[in-house]
Amino acid sequence: MNGITYILDANVLIEPWLKYYAPSFCTGYFQSLEKLGDMRVIGIPEMVKREIAKTEDTLFKWLDQSSIPILQGTIHVQSALKSIYAADPRNIKLTDTSRNRSMADPWVIAHALAEQATVVTKEEKILIPDSKKVKIPNVCEIMGITCIQDYEFIREVNIRLMARLVS
């Protein structure tokens, strides 16, 4: 156990990096994540880092140099992963192997289960019964893991993004 409080999904980094919290105009979000990493409040599974390495070069460079803990797949995490798949056979659909996407999703949940941490993701729960898709919030609910959106996380950890006008 690492004492990590929040496990971050890749989309909580990728989408803000590319869109609304891009470091070119909003440095506060990623600086705050670094501070939370220093304090070991947040962690990122190794598989999330690998997913980012495949999709976003500049974010990967930042992450590689940041102080955010990269969590390894320990025996406890592997055991948690097995229990996720045992809880519901549909959970195997967390990964989208056809497009080589979402490969880290089961690991995000497994780390949260092993750490007794909260998952932070941009995914939304699927409310349609018997849906073919399986999303992180649905599996978290089955496993009794707290799962929140990134904006809830920002409130919980009290991230403040200050505006400064440049003349």
Side-chain angles (χ1 to χ4, degrees):
M1 298 268 209
N2 291 304
I4 302 291
T5 309
Y6 298 93
I7 305 295
L8 305 185
D9 187 12
N11 59 24
V12 174
L13 298 170
I14 294 170
E15 194 168 328
W17 185 270
L18 295 174
K19 295 179 181 177
Y20 45 89
Y21 297 141
S24 60
F25 63 86
C26 184
T27 58
Y29 181 72
F30 287 94
Q31 287 174 347
S32 296
L33 292 182
E34 283 216 57
K35 288 178 185 171
L36 292 168
D38 282 337
M39 298 179 337
R40 300 194 62 79
V41 172
I42 62 172
I44 298 171
E46 173 68 28
M47 290 299 288
V48 165
K49 186 177 180 184
R50 288 184 194 176
E51 194 171 298
I52 289 170
K54 289 186 217 174
T55 59
E56 187 51 46
D57 290 344
T58 56
L59 174 57
F60 177 76
K61 287 176 189 171
W62 172 84
L63 182 59
D64 203 38
Q65 296 172 2
S66 81
S67 56
I68 298 173
I70 305 302
L71 308 173
Q72 303 304 312
T74 66
I75 193 82
H76 299 295
V77 174
Q78 292 171 16
S79 177
L81 188 61
K82 287 178 186 175
S83 68
I84 290 166
Y85 292 135
D88 188 332
R90 291 177 294 180
N91 291 347
I92 196 77
K93 293 182 181 180
L94 271 167
T95 56
D96 182 355
T97 55
S98 66
R99 296 188 303 184
N100 203 22
R101 295 178 54 198
S102 305
M103 301 305 285
D105 288 1
W107 293 97
V108 169
I109 300 165
H111 278 278
L113 187 59
E115 294 287 333
Q116 298 176 342
T118 296
V119 169
V120 182
T121 185
K122 296 193 79 48
E123 288 186 13
E124 294 186 19
K125 183 178 171 186
I126 295 178
L127 302 173
I128 302 167
D130 300 323
S131 172
K132 301 270 188 243
K133 293 183 180 182
V134 177
K135 296 291 185 179
I136 289 175
N138 297 81
V139 177
C140 285
E141 183 176 68
I142 291 168
M143 300 306 297
I145 300 167
T146 302
C147 182
I148 61 174
Q149 294 275 315
D150 57 339
Y151 61 87
E152 294 171 274
F153 165 73
I154 289 169
R155 282 189 197 114
E156 284 188 18
V157 298
N158 202 27
I159 291 176
R160 296 287 177 249
L161 304 173
M162 304 304 287
R164 186 182 74 168
L165 298 176
V166 180
S167 51

